């Protein structure tokens, strides 16, 4: 039973960290809209620290579940948790999963905002360079590249 209690403690800790992460992500969203770069740097460091803690906790949870009889090649850990027949453990697991998915949604939204800001900056840079009237092509990584008259597209 010690492994189950430790797993419950880890899940409760994850829930607290994911709540903090959601708060940091919401602050990041606010900073992106107000262009507060100095605060954004601080928040990015905090976000990375929290993400690393969540990753380490996930590794510890998997090791505990393996000690409880979980086989990683047998499927999802959530199925194993549900099959344990412990409603309080299942509730903690599902609560942590819900919070993780909420954090992922906020992070994806922030990523779209960052992508939009990068594209806008790229367009402004093109205008300053004087290449705004040229055609654009997509590069191998999906980025836009201006095509000038000196760019060779193909040769025979």
């Amino acid at each position: 039973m010690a492994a189950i209690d430790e797993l419950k403690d880890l899940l409760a800790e994850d829930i607290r960290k994911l709540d903090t992460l959601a708060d940091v992500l919401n602050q990041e969203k606010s900073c992106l809209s107000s262009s507060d770069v100095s605060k954004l740097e601080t928040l990015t460091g905090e976000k990375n620290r929290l993400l690393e803690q969540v990753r380490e906790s996930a590794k510890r949870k998997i090791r505990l579940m393996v000690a409880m009889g979980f086989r990683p090649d047998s499927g999802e850990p959530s199925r194993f948790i549900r099959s344990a027949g412990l409603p309080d453990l299942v509730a903690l697991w599902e609560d942590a999963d819900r919070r993780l998915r909420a954090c992922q949604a906020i992070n994806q939204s922030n990523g779209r905002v960052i992508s939009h800001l990068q594209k806008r900056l790229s367009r402004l840079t093109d205008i300053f360079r004087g290449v705004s009237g040229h055609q654009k092509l997509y590069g191998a990584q999906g980025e836009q590249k201006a095509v000038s008259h000196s760019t060779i597209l193909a040769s025979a």
Side-chain angles (χ1 to χ4, degrees):
M1 281 297 181
I4 291 173
D5 291 335
E6 192 174 345
L7 187 57
K8 287 179 185 178
D9 290 343
L10 283 173
L11 287 168
E13 185 180 323
D14 280 354
I15 289 169
R16 286 189 299 277
K17 286 179 185 170
L18 289 168
D19 283 342
T20 304
L21 181 60
D23 183 48
V24 168
L25 290 168
N26 283 320
Q27 289 178 41
E28 180 183 61
K29 188 176 197 175
S30 174
C31 286
L32 288 170
S33 65
S34 67
S35 300
D36 187 352
V37 177
S38 61
K39 187 173 181 185
L40 190 60
E41 282 183 44
T42 304
L43 289 172
T44 300
E46 177 71 11
K47 179 174 78 168
N48 289 337
R49 185 184 62 77
L50 286 166
L51 286 171
E52 185 58 35
Q53 290 175 355
V54 169
R55 281 187 208 103
E56 287 302 314
S57 177
K59 291 175 188 175
R60 289 172 49 202
K61 287 185 294 197
I62 291 295
R63 283 192 292 267
L64 278 172
M65 290 191 314
V66 166
M68 293 168 53
F70 173 67
R71 290 184 22 239
D73 60 343
S74 67
E76 296 180 12
S78 55
R79 249 188 283 160
F80 177 77
I81 295 292
R82 285 187 197 99
S83 70
L86 301 167
D88 49 343
L89 181 63
V90 172
L92 282 169
W93 183 270
E94 290 175 350
D95 193 17
D97 185 56
R98 245 188 328 276
R99 290 168 199 259
L100 178 64
R101 290 180 194 280
C103 286
Q104 288 172 332
I106 298 168
N107 195 47
Q108 286 175 344
S109 173
N110 290 353
R112 285 189 296 273
V113 170
I114 290 170
S115 176
H116 175 72
L117 291 172
Q118 286 173 331
K119 286 177 185 175
R120 191 168 84 184
L121 180 62
S122 176
R123 277 187 248 132
L124 287 172
T125 304
D126 287 348
I127 290 170
F128 286 133
R129 285 192 210 143
V131 292
S132 63
H134 296 285
Q135 295 289 348
K136 301 253 184 192
L137 292 178
Y138 287 101
Q141 302 298 319
E143 74 281 1
Q144 287 186 353
K145 292 185 178 183
V147 179
S148 67
H149 296 291
S150 63
T151 303
I152 299 172
L153 295 177
S155 63

